Structure formats: C-alpha cells, structure tokens
Amino acid sequence: MQVLKTQFDTYEDLVSYVKNLAPWSEGEPSFIRGGRKSAEINLLRINPITYASTRNYGDGDITRLSPYIHHGIISLNEVRNFALTKCSDPSQIIKFIQELGWRDYWQRIISVNPEWAWQDIESYKTGFLVNDYADDLPDDIIKGTTDTSSINAFIKELIETGYIHNHARMYLASYIVHFRRIKWQVGAKWFLKHLLDGDIASNNLSWQWVASTFSNKPYIFNLENVDKYFAKCVDTSPLNNQSINDTYEALTLRLFPKLKEIS
C-alpha cells in the first residue's frame, strides 16, 4: 500500500503532488483550501448579523463554511457557538441559526427516510409526469455553453471552483428541471460530482424542493431576479439572457402549459 505524503514545503508542492496522483484532474485547484486552519480562518470572518439581509446576493456576507462542515473539519455546533459571540442579542442572528438548523434537519430527514435521497417524495406539481423529463444532461449544460449567459457563468464557477452561491444553485436547479425539463436526479448527481460541499441530504432535498417533488409548487426565476441579486457578478443583459427574460406569469404559462389545462 502506498503511503501518501502529508507534509509539503509550499502549497504549490502540494498541488503538484496531487496532480501526479490524479492525472485525470482538469484545471486549477479551487480557491477553497482544506484543513482545520483554513476552516478557522473562514469562521473568524463570518458576519452572522449582516448575513440575514445580504445572504441572497452574490456578493453578500455568506460564510463559505459548508465544505468544512461537510468534511467534518468543523461542526454545526461550533459554528453556532462562535456566531453567538458575534452578537449582543441572539435575535440578531436568527436567520443564520435557522440555516444551520436546516442543514441538520435535512440530515435527519434522510437518516429516517434514506430512500428519499434519490426517489421522488411526491409527484411533480408541474403538469408533467416523470417520463416527460429527460434522463441526461445535454452537452451545452455540461460545458456551460447554453444560450443564457448568467447560467453559463454559474456553471463555469461550479466546475472550476467546486462551489457556487446557494441562490445560484437554486437558479441552476430550476433551469435544468423546469426550463430544460430534465429529471432532478440528473442535476443532483451532476452537482455532487463537482461540489466540494456535496452533501447528499442538503443537495438532493433542495433539488426536490425546486422540482416540486418535496414542495407544493415548482421554483422558477426570471432575469429580473438574477439581475437584482447577481448583477455585480454575472452578465444579466437581456440580449444574452433571453430564455429567462420574461415575467413570472409568462414563464409559468410557457414552462407549465399543462397546468392551465388541468385547472
């Protein structure tokens, strides 16, 4: 059995060593560095008070702690306890604590119902049947060459860094399931392939929530919403985002025409 090297003089030496071990890997390493020291540095940077009002924005005060939580480097309890030291009143960080609670909740749901990780919990509430959704991702999504610029930017970030903002994850999931009519399981598996924080419970149940198999309606978005939250981060010009540039009413009629027939 090969004994792996664990000590390196520089970060560059580490990168070179890993590339030799995994010659199939592509691109440069993610900006997210592993290890307890990196986790502690990121923990010290969090601002749980401003998190509530800015977390949906691409440049908001998010924590980027999920990769460390997922790999057991830092615990939810540790994050919560530290966050409480950053406020004078716990009510100031309710939203932050709630989000930690959701992560724990997803884990408990899957531990009790492991089959829900990959099976539809409920039927789609889109007017379509399971067989109406595709079983594979098309190349333009895999390569980030769709006709929608903002979506391509999110795909590129996912592939190159192993991380994207949670709001962007919802956009991508909605685009794949509803705009392109592909099974949520296909998208969830694709996410897990690339995400450094690829937790099956949080990832897959979130995909089911977007798809409407674990919620009372499908989640959709439009260009106006992307522009509101990510205009500083991606191209939100109407010319380059025509497929999502419409009102919610018009998009609902286009994406779910059978709902009108059912009602």
Side-chain angles (χ1 to χ4, degrees):
M1 180 183 295
Q2 180 183 5
V3 178
L4 298 179
K5 185 177 178 180
T6 59
Q7 299 295 324
F8 302 89
D9 294 330
T10 66
Y11 179 70
E12 288 69 28
D13 290 340
L14 168 61
V15 171
S16 177
Y17 181 74
V18 172
K19 283 187 174 182
N20 286 330
L21 289 175
W24 59 86
S25 62
E26 300 178 358
E28 296 303 312
S30 171
F31 69 89
I32 299 174
R33 297 192 179 188
R36 176 69 189 184
K37 182 178 180 180
S38 295
E40 291 175 345
I41 290 173
N42 278 274
L43 181 61
L44 291 172
R45 291 173 179 167
I46 70 171
N47 189 333
I49 295 177
T50 56
Y51 172 87
S53 59
T54 68
R55 68 188 182 93
N56 285 327
Y57 291 86
D59 59 349
D61 276 324
I62 57 175
T63 70
R64 291 190 171 88
L65 288 173
S66 54
Y68 305 105
I69 295 172
H70 171 63
H71 290 284
I73 298 172
I74 195 169
S75 70
L76 289 174
N77 189 51
E78 186 175 1
V79 175
R80 181 202 60 188
N81 290 342
F82 180 76
L84 288 170
T85 69
K86 304 281 283 186
C87 64
S88 58
D89 182 347
S91 65
Q92 295 175 298
I93 62 169
I94 288 177
K95 177 52 67 175
F96 185 88
I97 300 298
Q98 285 176 339
E99 291 304 310
L100 297 178
W102 274 115
R103 188 179 184 91
D104 184 62
Y105 174 70
W106 298 137
Q107 294 282 348
R108 293 171 186 270
I109 286 288
I110 290 299
S111 68
V112 175
N113 305 282
E115 70 280 4
W116 287 5
W118 293 105
Q119 295 179 10
D120 295 347
I121 298 172
E122 301 171 348
S123 299
Y124 283 89
K125 301 167 188 69
T126 59
F128 294 107
L129 302 176
V130 172
N131 291 338
D132 293 321
Y133 293 82
D135 293 311
D136 299 290
L137 280 179
D139 284 344
D140 67 322
I141 291 180
I142 294 174
K143 297 177 181 178
T145 56
T146 75
D147 61 2
T148 307
S149 182
S150 57
I151 291 297
N152 292 341
F154 296 138
I155 293 173
K156 180 180 179 181
E157 184 177 10
L158 169 67
I159 294 173
E160 293 183 356
T161 73
Y163 183 91
I164 52 173
H165 191 290
N166 186 63
H167 206 164
R169 299 183 195 203
M170 293 171 63
Y171 292 148
L172 265 182
S174 179
Y175 178 80
I176 288 170
V177 177
H178 302 308
F179 287 78
R180 302 296 295 271
R181 207 171 300 153
I182 299 166
K183 287 186 174 73
W184 68 262
Q185 290 93 335
V186 176
K189 184 178 181 180
W190 180 59
F191 263 29
L192 290 174
K193 175 182 177 181
H194 292 289
L195 287 173
L196 293 174
D197 62 359
D199 175 85
I200 290 180
S202 296
N203 181 69
N204 290 28
L205 290 179
S206 293
W207 274 84
Q208 293 227 50
W209 183 85
V210 168
S212 75
T213 57
F214 192 39
S215 59
N216 60 7
K217 64 179 180 179
Y219 169 80
I220 61 172
F221 68 101
N222 64 5
L223 180 59
E224 182 181 7
N225 191 271
V226 179
D227 183 68
K228 176 181 178 179
Y229 293 106
F230 285 85
K232 297 179 181 179
C233 309
V234 301
D235 175 12
T236 58
S237 64
L239 178 63
N240 295 325
N241 293 275
Q242 294 183 36
S243 70
I244 62 174
N245 185 25
D246 221 328
T247 65
Y248 281 108
E249 292 77 10
L251 283 175
T252 298
L253 289 173
R254 168 156 60 95
L255 298 177
F256 314 117
K258 294 186 178 182
L259 287 180
K260 186 177 181 180
E261 297 173 8
I262 293 174
S263 61

